[in-house]
Amino acid sequence: MCEWRCNIIDNSKYNPDTLDLNSDEEAARYWFPCFQDMIKKFSRQAENSQKQDDTAVERAQQFRETYLRKLEEYRSHTKENAENNKTLGIRELLELIDKHLRLYGFPDPWLEQKKSENEVALGLFAERIHEIDSITDSRKRWIELVKGVLAGNMFDWGAAAVTNIISNDNTFGLHAALERIQKRPWLMDDLDNWLERLHNGGEVHKCAAIFVDNCGVDVVLGILPFARELLKRGTKVILCANNEPSLNDVTISEMSSILDYCNCTCPIMKEARTNKRLTIQGNGQKGPCLDMRTLPQELCNALNETDLLVIEGMGRALHTNLYARFNCETLKLAVVKNKWLAQRLGGDTFSVICRYEPLVS
């Protein structure tokens, strides 16, 4: 277990999971069938990612059948596990998918998709930076940056509602996503409080740790312009990405390649990278969610000076950590791409989560 304690208020009480399928019967009735349907898509993706391999069809079927057996095992023991105070979050079921994909020889089914999306997004990076820099009013610029992160988070191949849009419209990009997400006031809307924090004369953050989500538009056109603006303020930035593949989430190796490209375009990022004010760390997670109890020690050490956490995406900021509190300022940003979950929270599909949590003294 990670020895880092400085950013978790009470590690003994920290629970990353927003839902508990063992104790929440309504959630269980929705999510178990949802995962049964979801696994069909993962199986097809795995099979299609290795068309040149004659064993891919059989292995994909084995993956699907094994996962469904395990899912039924979880479902049949919910009441018993609830009585024994065992929780079951969406996190565990998602991690189980990645575990069995690797077990059956599918380490990165979305690899080619990620390469393609990164290439397209990087081609638009300079244009997006110019667009941001042309906004001379700092407050308006930060509004656009936050909206950019949220719009970028739409590009998630793990969400059926988004997959349908992207698959049917190859012109769907950042600006189209900006039009698709919920208009303000958002479902959870602390944007004004975040803007006030930036513009009320408070101290510049020393170090921001950004837990990033998807490849392509998300990280390149959403997160990096946001991180760049923090660098311009004098804040050190740590980009925390998955060590191993999960869905179309960006990995540390992919993040490094992306920054190498951006450094050629942006002197600010190149200088920060050279002087180690912009660094990359692996988050050690086994899936698309975020459990702060399992961060690798190297990242724990790097986070000791962190006074701002930015947690992005449904997996990291919604399925996990939505209600977790930390003893540093925290900004949680996500678009709710699941209708059931959006309605549970009081909204609808593509509702926006923008939670700014100041330091609690």
Side-chain angles (χ1 to χ4, degrees):
M1 180 177 290
C2 175
E3 297 177 1
W4 170 49
R5 295 291 184 270
C6 67
N7 280 4
I8 297 176
I9 290 178
D10 186 343
N11 192 62
S12 64
K13 294 181 180 179
Y14 172 74
N15 176 18
D17 298 309
T18 302
L19 297 173
D20 177 11
L21 303 189
N22 285 336
S23 61
D24 189 331
E25 293 183 7
E26 180 189 356
R29 282 196 300 271
Y30 171 78
W31 282 104
F32 280 113
C34 181
F35 272 93
Q36 285 179 323
D37 290 337
M38 188 189 307
I39 207 64
K40 298 174 186 176
K41 179 184 72 174
F42 279 78
S43 179
R44 287 194 300 271
Q45 182 69 27
E47 180 182 328
N48 290 335
S49 71
Q50 296 184 11
K51 288 182 178 180
Q52 74 286 356
D53 191 324
D54 293 338
T55 68
V57 174
E58 182 181 358
R59 287 185 289 112
Q61 182 178 349
Q62 291 173 335
F63 154 71
R64 181 172 65 253
E65 292 173 351
T66 302
Y67 183 86
L68 288 173
R69 284 197 299 270
K70 186 64 176 178
L71 190 67
E72 176 58 25
E73 182 181 326
Y74 276 116
R75 189 201 62 77
S76 63
H77 290 88
T78 53
K79 188 172 295 186
E80 174 188 340
N81 288 333
E83 291 173 353
N84 292 322
N85 295 317
K86 294 181 179 178
T87 62
L88 176 64
I90 303 301
R91 168 179 56 90
E92 190 168 342
L93 298 182
L94 287 170
E95 289 178 356
L96 190 67
I97 292 176
D98 286 309
K99 174 183 176 181
H100 284 93
L101 281 171
R102 295 185 184 101
L103 179 65
Y104 287 101
F106 300 104
D108 196 356
W110 274 267
L111 178 62
E112 294 305 315
Q113 184 70 42
K114 291 187 292 180
K115 286 181 178 178
S116 173
E117 293 188 1
N118 283 339
E119 182 178 341
V120 171
L122 286 168
L124 298 171
F125 178 71
E127 180 182 336
R128 179 59 177 167
I129 291 302
H130 177 74
E131 186 176 44
I132 294 295
D133 287 349
S134 67
I135 305 174
T136 55
D137 183 284
S138 177
R139 186 181 181 89
K140 291 180 180 178
R141 187 165 62 251
W142 272 107
I143 291 174
E144 179 65 19
L145 286 162
V146 171
K147 286 184 175 180
V149 171
L150 293 165
N153 193 239
M154 284 281 288
F155 293 81
D156 181 354
W157 285 91
V162 177
T163 303
N164 293 335
I165 296 172
I166 301 174
S167 298
N168 295 321
D169 183 2
N170 57 16
T171 65
F172 189 76
L174 181 70
H175 291 94
L178 282 165
E179 294 300 317
R180 186 64 69 105
I181 63 173
Q182 179 188 20
K183 307 303 180 189
R184 294 189 72 191
W186 294 327
L187 179 60
M188 297 184 185
D189 194 339
D190 292 332
L191 178 58
D192 290 337
N193 294 336
W194 168 247
L195 296 173
E196 181 68 17
R197 165 62 180 89
L198 295 176
H199 296 97
N200 69 354
E203 292 184 2
V204 171
H205 298 102
K206 296 177 183 177
C207 178
I210 304 178
F211 287 84
V212 300
D213 194 356
N214 306 300
C215 276
V217 173
D218 190 344
V219 69
V220 176
L221 304 183
I223 286 294
L224 290 186
F226 183 97
R228 177 177 177 269
E229 200 70 17
L230 288 173
L231 291 169
K232 287 168 60 178
R233 283 171 56 86
T235 301
K236 178 181 176 180
V237 173
I238 305 172
L239 298 172
C240 308
N242 280 19
N243 295 75
E244 301 294 333
S246 177
L247 291 165
N248 64 317
D249 293 3
V250 64
T251 64
I252 53 173
S253 60
E254 290 162 343
M255 191 78 253
S256 180
S257 297
I258 288 170
L259 287 187
D260 286 345
Y261 182 97
C262 294
N263 287 349
C264 298
T265 305
C266 177
I268 292 171
M269 294 178 65
K270 181 178 181 180
E271 182 275 332
R273 194 92 169 96
T274 301
N275 294 325
K276 296 185 174 11
R277 292 197 310 111
L278 174 60
T279 60
I280 306 168
Q281 290 281 348
N283 63 25
Q285 302 303 291
K286 299 177 181 178
C289 295
L290 176 60
D291 183 349
M292 290 288 191
R293 298 169 300 190
T294 60
L295 299 180
Q297 191 62 53
E298 184 178 0
L299 175 56
C300 294
N301 296 338
L303 290 172
N304 280 331
E305 60 180 323
T306 296
D307 53 0
L308 173 65
L309 284 177
V310 181
I311 308 176
E312 183 224 1
M314 274 191 63
R316 294 162 184 82
L318 189 52
H319 290 318
T320 54
N321 296 300
L322 180 62
Y323 300 122
R325 295 302 300 263
F326 304 92
N327 66 3
C328 71
E329 293 177 54
T330 308
L331 186 63
K332 302 170 184 176
L333 300 169
V335 175
V336 191
K337 291 154 286 193
N338 176 276
K339 189 177 183 66
W340 181 91
L341 186 54
Q343 291 178 337
R344 165 63 79 93
L345 295 171
D348 205 345
T349 313
F350 306 140
S351 290
V352 166
I353 304 296
C354 177
R355 289 185 66 136
Y356 168 64
E357 297 163 355
L359 178 62
V360 178
S361 57

